[in-house]
Amino acid sequence: MPDTTIAAALADVRARITAAAKSCGRDPKSITLIAVSKTHDAARAGLAIAAGQRDFGENRVQEAEDKWPGLKAAHPSTLHLIGPLQTNKVRDAVALFDIIHTVDRPRLAEKLGPEMRAQNRRLPCFVQVNTGREEQKAGIDPKDADAFITACCGEWDIPVVGLMCIPPVNEEPALHFAFLREIAKRNGLAQLSMGMSDDFEIAVALGATHIRVGSAIFGTRAKI
Ligand SMILES: *Cc1c(COP(=O)(O)O)cnc(C)c1O
C-alpha cells in the first residue's frame, strides 16, 4: 500500500464511527477506535500514528515487545492487549501494555492482580466473555461472568472497567453485543469492547465504547 492509504482508511473508519454514533444519538467522542496493528510492522503502525491515531491493539505480547517500545518512546500511544494472555507473560504484558481486554480466567486473574500491584501499574482491564460459549474460544462462560467479575474486583484487586467479546463467525453479532451489554449493565460496568472491521457500526449502535479495527485500516493480514 502507498503511504497515504492507511491515513485515508483511518479517515474513512473515523467518519463511519461518527455517522454510526450520530444516527443513534451518541457522542462520537465516547467511542475509542483501537487500530489493530498485529502482523503489521512498526513502519506501518508509524503511518497510522502520523495520521493522528493514538490507540493501538496487539494480540501477542512478544510481537508487541518487538514493535512498540521504540514507537511509544517517539510518540505517546496507548497500547491495548486484545489477545489471550499466558500466565508466563503477565509480567511483560503489565510492563508494556496500558489496557488489557482479555482477562478471561481465574488462573490469569490471580496472577494479574498481584503483578499490577508489584509494578505499581494498575491498568484498566476488560473481562472477556465467551458470549457464544464456543469450545475453542477464550473468555469466561456467561453463566460464570458475574461471580468472576466480582472476584476480579474484590479478591484479585483488578481495576475492571468493562467487558469484551468476539462473537462467533456466522452468527448475528448484534445478539452477542446486546448480551454483553446486559451483563455489563447488571454488574455496573460502563465500558464495552466490541466490534471489528465487519461489524463496528452495529457495535456502536449497541453501546460499544472501544472498537477494535484491523483490516479496515491496515488491509488484509498475512495468515500467521
Ligand atoms: C484481529 C483482531 C481484531 C481486528 O480484526 P479485523 O477484522 O481485522 O478488524 C479485533 N479484535 C481481536 C480480538 C482481534 O484478534
Side-chain angles (χ1 to χ4, degrees), residues 8-19:
L10 262 171
D12 179 62
V13 169
R14 288 196 195 113
R16 287 168 60 191
I17 293 168
T18 299

Side-chain angles (χ1 to χ4, degrees), residues 36 38 82 164 166 196-197 212-215 221:
V36 177
K38 67 186 185 198
I82 61 167
M164 178 271 215
I166 307 170
M196 319 199 327
S197 290
R212 312 177 307 265
V213 178
S215 47
R221 285 180 291 275

Side-chain angles (χ1 to χ4, degrees), residues 43 46 93 124 130 150 155 168:
N130 187 355
T150 302
E155 62 185 290

Side-chain angles (χ1 to χ4, degrees), residues 45-131:
L47 292 174
I49 292 173
Q53 179 62 27
R54 289 295 173 267
D55 287 81
F56 290 87
E58 292 283 346
N59 69 337
R60 292 176 183 213
V61 176
Q62 183 63 55
E63 183 185 340
E65 282 182 320
D66 294 341
K67 199 187 300 182
W68 278 96
L71 285 170
K72 269 185 135 187
H75 313 271
S77 303
T78 302
L79 198 56
H80 301 251
L81 178 63
I82 61 167
L85 179 53
Q86 307 305 319
T87 49
N88 64 356
K89 298 274 189 193
V90 164
R91 180 174 303 171
D92 294 346
V94 169
L96 177 64
F97 285 90
D98 301 294
I99 301 183
I100 295 177
H101 290 244
T102 48
V103 181
D104 61 357
R105 61 199 192 280
R107 288 246 307 127
L108 170 61
E110 71 190 18
K111 285 235 158 50
L112 187 57
E115 185 60 37
M116 289 195 292
R117 258 198 314 281
Q119 294 192 32
N120 197 20
R121 278 178 60 77
R122 288 179 51 79
L123 313 183
C125 289
F126 290 79
V127 165
Q128 182 176 356
V129 182
N130 187 355
T131 56

